[in-house]
Every structure is written in C-alpha cells, then in structure tokens.
Amino acid sequence: MDETTTTGPDRKLAAPDQVAPVEQLVAMNEALLISSVRQHELTVAAEELNRQLQVEVIDRKNAEEKMRGANEELEQFATAASHDLQEPLRAASCSTQLLAMKLHDRMDPEAEQFMKDIVEANSRMSALIKDMLSYARLADEPQPGTVPVECGR
C-alpha cells in the first residue's frame, strides 16, 4: 500500500504514520520564527542602547571640555590673584623690616616682638598664597606615582 494519498492535481498528503514528523517540522518552524523575532527585538534593543550610549559619550565629552575651560580660567585667576596678593605682602614685610632696622635702638622688646610677628604673619600669608596657586595648577601637572590612562577606544 502506498504511504501517501493524492487529492487534487499533484497534491500529496502525508500518510498517518508521517504526521508526527510533519508536526515536528511545524514546531521547529514556529520555534525558528519565534527565535528570529526575539533576535530582531534584541537587535533593536541593542541598537537603542548603543544610541543612548553614544549620546552619553558626547555629553561627557562636552562636559569635560567645559571643565577644562573652567580649570584654565581658574588657573589664570589664581595666577593673577597670587601676584596681586603677593605684592602688598612683600611691601608690608619690607617696610616692617626697614622700620625695625631704623628704630632698632629706640624699640623696647615688646615692639621688637610686634615687628617679628608682622614679618612672620606676612611669610605665612605668602606661603598660603603660593599653596593656593600650586593647588590651582595641580590639575595640569602630572602627579608623582600616577600614570595617564586612556579610557577611550
């Protein structure tokens, strides 16, 4: 007996004992279709995540550029402020030392101590101003024990 039956022009139907393999083929086709759809969904999701990531990278680069500009402005300000603040300190310190030398014979020990205190205070203030300038320049200078790291591609 023939395992297939024919209905209509050249149309063959599976014999009853071949139904299971046909169902398996249909199930496999459905699984492949579902897999293909899921793969497409994942591809679309990955593309969207990549787009968002590119936007974030651009935003960060823009923020870094703004930060660099702000740091440059800060350094310029700190340099100018340091120079402007150092000059009056030097003048006060020099004037105090000259006054102390001129009046040395006529000053009592308390007045001499005042003069020393003024000179020491000026020295401390000068050191603070220099430290502020060093701190403002810190971002531009490589730090000991550190190495630059490329975080891009």
Side-chain angles (χ1 to χ4, degrees), residues 12-13 23 29 35-37 50-51 54 65 69 73 77 81 85 92-93 97 106-107 110 113 122-123 131-132 137-138:
K12 295 184 177 183
L13 293 177
E23 288 175 358
N29 282 338
S35 175
S36 176
V37 169
N50 282 334
R51 188 194 62 75
Q54 288 173 347
E65 192 60 37
E73 288 177 17
F77 171 77
L85 292 172
S93 183
Q97 290 172 347
R106 295 178 276 184
M107 286 195 307
E110 187 179 29
Q113 186 60 46
N122 282 338
S123 294
D131 289 346
M132 276 186 4
R137 290 181 176 162
L138 196 61

Side-chain angles (χ1 to χ4, degrees), residues 78 82 128-139 141 143:
S82 173
L128 286 172
I129 292 169
K130 287 177 184 175
D131 289 346
M132 276 186 4
L133 181 59
S134 295
Y135 181 73
R137 290 181 176 162
L138 196 61
E141 299 173 6
Q143 301 304 307

Side-chain angles (χ1 to χ4, degrees), residues 89-110:
L89 282 175
R90 280 191 287 270
S93 183
C94 287
S95 297
T96 303
Q97 290 172 347
L98 288 172
L99 186 60
M101 287 190 298
K102 185 174 185 174
L103 301 176
H104 182 61
D105 301 353
R106 295 178 276 184
M107 286 195 307
D108 62 10
E110 187 179 29

Side-chain angles (χ1 to χ4, degrees), residues 36-48:
S36 176
V37 169
R38 181 66 181 141
Q39 183 178 359
H40 176 73
E41 290 171 350
L42 291 173
T43 301
V44 169
E47 288 170 351
E48 176 61 21

Side-chain angles (χ1 to χ4, degrees), residues 6 11 19 34 38 86 99 108 110 122 132 140 147 152:
T6 305
R11 200 161 192 211
V19 172
I34 291 170
R38 181 66 181 141
Q86 288 285 357
L99 186 60
D108 62 10
E110 187 179 29
N122 282 338
M132 276 186 4
D140 290 339
V147 292

